């Protein structure tokens, strides 16, 4: 008996024939496997936000962005398009559209064309919006309800409906109604009458109060952190106050992450405990920086911070600067007050060698300051003893001044690096008296402001103004760090740093008692990170009343680089004979 392995098959395809059949099958399958087409979409009849919503809802558009597609997939996605377009139009109130869809197949480039007639928008017939429960008479909830963005006669925009619901829900939570819920929320569409009815019933539930605040950390004394809390136990709970607490603690130098969580599940007698969890920052921070400015030339900085010296939140900072016109070191010891977010006490000391083109001085300063921020204005009150050895023009000497001063500053910007809208304002007043450890009596006031405004999507208008005045009968006894000079990157471009001001008998710039400088700039963004600017600067320092203003005009290039905003300006000093040209390079934020 023979084994199965030795048996011969009844029929066997010759080897050559098998190879030919296999090759033919591969050739026949190849076009089906490899054929793909490119797809272009055309949407007609709608514009603006409606068109964008239609395009974003088309599955075919999303697939086409991936590249070429198989024909069957194109046909399948094209068949879905009418229903997707219908849903996209309903978001804007178009419930009876007419549309034509066409798929044009020409070679490997196909076109999906959709002609849309959206029809008349559907209007709101009735709005039944009610607040029920303990919060039904709450004035702020009633105000939020009165501002609901849809009313009878308006076109039914679903995005406005959702945003209105969200606003009411957020206002309820901010007022302490943590259990607030829409018991009924409906849009009833009546296609026969072509109208919509909106029904919204908010059940507020009880209004909760702040319970104990539990600071879950072990690096600072609890009393330090209590100063960041602006509410008291028993006050009505407010989510905006909790968010403000989180922002304040996150902005402190002590913690890298802060989470504030109301524990609704642990509420007792409507008091909700507040848990605050922290991740501490590293105690030390070092920073080395290099840069370049036309005023300073190459410059380098080294900064050191000791963020926590003890459990009371004391901290220390040190800084060293090196440039062609300044070599300085400074140290500060900072003590938080009872309200550490808004008030700190600082002791400081420093030494600086200053060598701009018009003067030279060595300065030692020791002082203290108190900083407060009870509102949008940052207030600083200071008392410092300054010892300065100076040479400015023909004036040389040594001054000792015990200077008392105050400064008020405020700023706001939509973006600190590249602001489209924002402002900065700083007011300063300082002085000394020769009866109080000082060689001279003077009173100095200064105001500096900068405003940035956007015109359209690509244009910015930037204005700057700097005013100053010194009242004294001992002007020549004042060191150059107190006198006013003009010229430079942040003053009047086209002139060297501190090179503009009154002259002495030998023609040297010695500074003045008054200061007036200003700038107007128009900037156009050419590309996303590049822009061009035209500017006009004017100003001077004066002995008395303003007279001749030095003027400069020019243009510049702006680059929003990975390291920040870089400005390259070319300025002509048009008020000088021959209108000499000067290049300015500035690296840093607008405000």
């Amino acid at each position: 008996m023979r084994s199965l392995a030795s048996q011969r098959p009844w029929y066997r395809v010759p080897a050559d024939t098998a190879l030919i059949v296999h090759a033919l099958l591969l050739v026949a399958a190849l076009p089906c496997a490899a054929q793909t087409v490119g797809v272009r979409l055309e949407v007609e009849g709608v514009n603006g936000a409606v068109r964008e919503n239609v395009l974003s809802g088309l599955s075919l558009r999303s697939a086409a962005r991936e590249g070429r597609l198989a024909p069957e997939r194109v046909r399948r996605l094209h068949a879905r398009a009418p229903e997707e377009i219908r849903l996209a139009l309903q978001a804007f109130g178009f419930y009876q559209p007419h549309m034509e869809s066409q798929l044009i197949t020409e070679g490997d480039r196909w076109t999906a064309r959709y002609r849309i007639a959206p029809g008349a928008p559907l209007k709101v017939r009735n709005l039944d919006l009610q607040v029920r429960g303990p919060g039904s008479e709450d004035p702020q909830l009633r105000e939020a309800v009165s501002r609901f963005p849809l009313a009878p006669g308006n076109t039914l925009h679903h995005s406005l409906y959702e945003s209105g619901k969200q606003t009411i829900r957020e206002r309820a939570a901010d007022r302490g109604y943590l259990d607030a819920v829409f018991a009924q929320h409906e849009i009833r569409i009546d296609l026969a009458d072509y109208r919509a009815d909106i029904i919204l019933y908010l059940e507020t539930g009880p209004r909760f109060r702040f319970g104990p605040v539990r600071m879950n950390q072990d690096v600072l004394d609890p009393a330090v952190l209590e100063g960041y809390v602006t509410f008291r136990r028993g006050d009505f709970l407010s989510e905006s106050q909790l968010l403000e607490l989180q922002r304040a603690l996150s902005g402190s130098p002590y913690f890298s992450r802060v989470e504030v969580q109301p524990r609704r599940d642990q509420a007792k007698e409507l008091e909700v405990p507040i848990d605050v969890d922290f991740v501490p920052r590293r105690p030390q921070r070092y920073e080395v920086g290099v840069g370049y400015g036309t005023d300073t030339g190459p410059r380098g900085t080294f900064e050191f911070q000791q963020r926590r010296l003890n459990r009371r939140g004391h901290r220390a900072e040190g800084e060293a600067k090196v440039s062609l016109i300044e070599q300085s070191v400074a140290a500060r010891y900072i003590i938080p007050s009872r309200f550490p977010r808004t008030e700190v006490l600082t002791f400081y000391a420093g030494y600086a060698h200053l060598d701009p083109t018009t003067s030279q001085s060595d300065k030692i300063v020791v002082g203290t300051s108190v900083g407060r921020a009870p509102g949008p204005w940052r207030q600083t009150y200071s008392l410092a003893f300054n010892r300065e050895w100076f040479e400015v023009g023909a004036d040389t000497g040594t001054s000792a001044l015990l200077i008392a001063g105050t400064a008020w500053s405020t700023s706001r910007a939509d973006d600190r690096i590249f602001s489209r809208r924002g402002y900065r304002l700083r007011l300063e007043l300082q002085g000394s008296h020769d009866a109080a450890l000082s060689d001279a009596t003077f009173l100095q006031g200064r105001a500096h402001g900068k405003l940035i405004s956007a015109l359209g999507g690509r244009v910015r208008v930037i204005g700057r103004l700097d005013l100053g005045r010194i009242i004294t009968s001992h002007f020549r006894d004042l060191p150059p760090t107190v006198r006013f000079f003009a010229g430079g990157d942040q003053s009047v471009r086209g002139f060297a740093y501190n090179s503009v001001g009154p002259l002495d008998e030998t023609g040297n710039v010695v500074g003045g008692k008054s200061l007036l400088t200003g700038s107007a700039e128009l900037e156009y963004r050419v590309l996303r990170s590049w822009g061009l600017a035209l500017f006009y600067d004017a100003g001077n320092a004066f002995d008395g009343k303003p007279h001749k203003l030095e003027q400069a005009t020019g243009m510049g290039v702006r680059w929003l680089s990975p390291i920040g905003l870089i400005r390259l300006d070319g300025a002509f000093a048009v008020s000088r004979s021959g209108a000499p040209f000067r290049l300015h390079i500035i690296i840093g934020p607008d405000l």
Side-chain angles (χ1 to χ4, degrees):
M1 185 177 182
R2 293 182 298 173
S3 68
L4 292 175
S6 65
Q7 294 180 4
R8 297 173 62 87
W10 291 352
Y11 176 76
R12 184 174 64 186
V13 177
D16 293 343
T17 304
L19 288 173
I20 292 171
V21 171
H22 187 63
L24 290 173
L25 290 173
L26 284 176
V27 171
L30 187 60
C32 296
Q35 183 181 3
T36 57
V37 296
V39 182
R40 183 167 64 94
L41 274 72
E42 295 180 359
V43 174
E44 303 172 1
V46 289
N47 296 298
V50 178
R51 185 176 188 276
E52 285 301 316
N53 200 50
V54 167
L55 288 171
S56 64
L58 286 172
S59 303
L60 181 55
R61 186 200 192 199
S62 301
R65 286 178 169 176
E66 301 172 5
R68 297 172 68 83
L69 304 174
E72 279 306 312
R73 187 181 180 194
V74 175
R75 292 188 178 94
R76 185 172 65 254
L77 297 178
H78 174 68
R80 292 186 196 170
E83 183 59 27
E84 293 173 339
I85 293 172
R86 190 171 289 106
L87 291 174
L89 293 173
Q90 287 178 4
F92 289 85
F94 299 107
Y95 275 78
Q96 292 182 342
H98 298 280
M99 67 187 78
E100 298 177 2
S101 60
Q102 185 180 13
L103 186 60
I104 303 170
T105 59
E106 297 177 348
D108 64 347
R109 296 294 300 173
W110 290 15
T111 301
R113 181 177 297 154
Y114 307 102
R115 292 190 177 94
I116 303 170
L122 184 138
K123 303 290 185 177
V124 176
R125 178 172 52 195
N126 296 310
L127 173 62
D128 186 5
L129 178 50
Q130 300 180 23
V131 178
R132 299 173 173 177
S136 60
E137 299 301 320
D138 188 299
Q140 292 199 27
L141 272 182
R142 293 173 69 89
E143 180 192 11
V145 167
S146 69
R147 294 179 179 274
F148 192 77
L150 291 175
N154 293 158
T155 297
L156 177 63
H157 281 257
H158 287 258
S159 61
L160 295 180
Y161 168 78
E162 293 297 337
S163 67
K165 284 175 55 183
Q166 183 66 18
T167 298
I168 295 173
R169 189 184 295 113
E170 290 175 352
R171 182 65 60 87
D174 190 50
R175 298 289 290 167
Y177 302 101
L178 300 186
D179 294 342
V181 63
F182 282 103
Q184 190 170 353
H185 49 102
E186 299 178 8
I187 300 178
R188 297 177 180 174
I189 306 297
D190 183 354
L191 291 179
D193 193 38
Y194 205 58
R195 292 290 186 271
D197 298 325
I198 296 176
I199 301 172
L200 284 173
Y201 296 157
L202 179 73
E203 296 286 351
T204 67
R207 191 177 185 186
F208 290 87
R209 298 177 181 270
F210 285 113
V213 179
R214 302 181 295 214
M215 302 286 189
N216 303 317
Q217 55 85 40
D218 59 359
V219 296
L220 295 176
D221 286 341
V224 176
L225 299 179
E226 287 172 3
Y228 286 91
V229 181
T230 58
F231 51 83
R232 293 178 297 179
R233 182 173 181 173
D235 290 348
F236 285 118
L237 192 145
S238 166
E239 286 199 348
S240 61
Q241 287 185 280
L242 292 179
L243 183 60
E244 184 63 26
L245 174 62
Q246 179 165 319
R247 278 198 293 257
L249 289 168
S250 298
S252 76
Y254 309 114
F255 307 104
S256 61
R257 190 172 75 248
V258 179
E259 293 183 0
V260 178
Q261 182 66 37
R263 297 303 305 269
R264 165 67 182 85
D265 57 318
Q266 298 179 16
K268 293 182 179 179
E269 297 181 353
L270 298 182
E271 284 196 348
V272 180
I274 309 299
D275 274 345
V276 186
D277 298 315
F278 302 86
V279 176
R281 294 183 187 272
R282 296 177 58 184
Q284 294 86 24
R285 175 179 177 268
Y286 304 89
E287 184 173 325
V288 177
V290 295
Y292 180 86
T294 312
D295 291 346
T296 63
R299 61 177 182 262
T301 60
F302 172 76
E303 297 180 9
F304 166 73
Q305 291 183 359
Q306 180 69 38
R307 291 175 170 134
R308 297 190 306 274
L309 289 170
N310 52 43
R311 291 183 58 84
R312 289 173 294 169
H314 293 199
R315 61 187 193 271
E317 300 175 350
E319 181 182 55
K321 295 180 180 180
V322 178
S323 71
L324 296 180
I325 65 170
E326 177 184 355
Q327 300 87 50
S328 65
V329 292
R332 292 175 292 276
Y333 190 93
I334 302 167
I335 302 173
S337 73
R338 181 183 175 187
F339 304 103
R341 182 193 179 191
T342 59
E343 188 169 321
V344 293
L345 173 65
T346 303
F347 296 94
Y348 57 89
Y351 165 79
H353 174 72
L354 306 172
D355 192 16
T357 56
T358 53
S359 65
Q360 186 179 92
S361 61
D362 290 276
K363 177 181 177 181
I364 295 175
V365 59
V366 178
T368 184
S369 68
V370 175
R372 302 178 63 247
W377 287 86
R378 177 74 183 175
Q379 307 166 15
T380 304
Y381 304 93
S382 62
L383 182 66
F385 181 78
N386 293 260
R387 186 78 170 175
E388 190 164 346
W389 299 264
F390 65 88
E391 178 181 343
V392 51
D395 296 339
T396 61
T398 302
S399 70
L401 300 172
L402 181 63
I403 300 177
T406 182
W408 293 57
S409 62
T410 184
S411 64
R412 187 174 183 178
D414 55 0
D415 188 312
R416 289 293 177 183
I417 303 300
F418 184 80
S419 307
R420 289 186 50 74
R421 291 179 176 83
Y423 62 85
R424 178 182 68 218
L425 182 61
R426 181 175 177 86
L427 308 174
E428 300 176 12
L429 185 67
Q430 64 175 6
S432 67
H433 197 281
D434 58 10
L437 302 177
S438 299
D439 296 333
T441 299
F442 79 95
L443 180 65
Q444 182 189 67
R446 187 167 186 175
H448 173 86
K450 188 173 184 179
L451 176 67
I452 300 176
S453 181
L455 295 179
R458 292 180 175 267
V459 179
R460 296 196 307 168
V461 178
I462 303 172
R464 173 171 47 84
L465 184 65
D466 202 357
L467 304 171
R469 176 66 176 166
I470 300 173
I471 302 173
T472 183
S473 57
H474 306 95
F475 180 78
R476 302 193 73 167
D477 295 327
L478 297 179
T481 53
V482 175
R483 305 181 188 189
F484 288 126
F485 297 84
D489 299 339
Q490 304 295 333
S491 180
V492 183
R493 285 165 285 191
F495 297 85
Y497 177 66
N498 279 9
S499 66
V500 177
L503 308 177
D504 64 8
E505 300 83 359
T506 58
N508 297 308
V509 178
V510 294
K513 295 181 180 179
S514 302
L515 177 70
L516 171 60
T517 66
S519 174
E521 186 170 312
L522 185 67
E523 183 182 292
Y524 179 76
R525 188 176 61 180
V526 180
L527 300 173
R528 182 174 183 179
S529 300
W530 291 88
L532 298 175
L534 296 174
F535 59 85
Y536 169 79
D537 293 356
N540 209 330
F542 312 95
D543 278 329
K545 294 182 178 180
H547 48 93
K548 179 185 177 183
L549 293 179
E550 299 288 6
Q551 302 174 61
T553 187
M555 65 180 301
V557 177
R558 305 289 179 262
W559 177 33
L560 189 58
S561 75
I563 63 170
L565 183 61
I566 298 177
R567 290 168 282 180
L568 177 64
D569 290 334
F572 293 92
V574 295
S575 59
R576 294 287 176 92
S577 177
F581 176 81
R582 187 174 183 84
L583 194 65
H584 296 266
I585 300 175
I586 310 161
I587 301 175
D590 287 312
L591 294 173

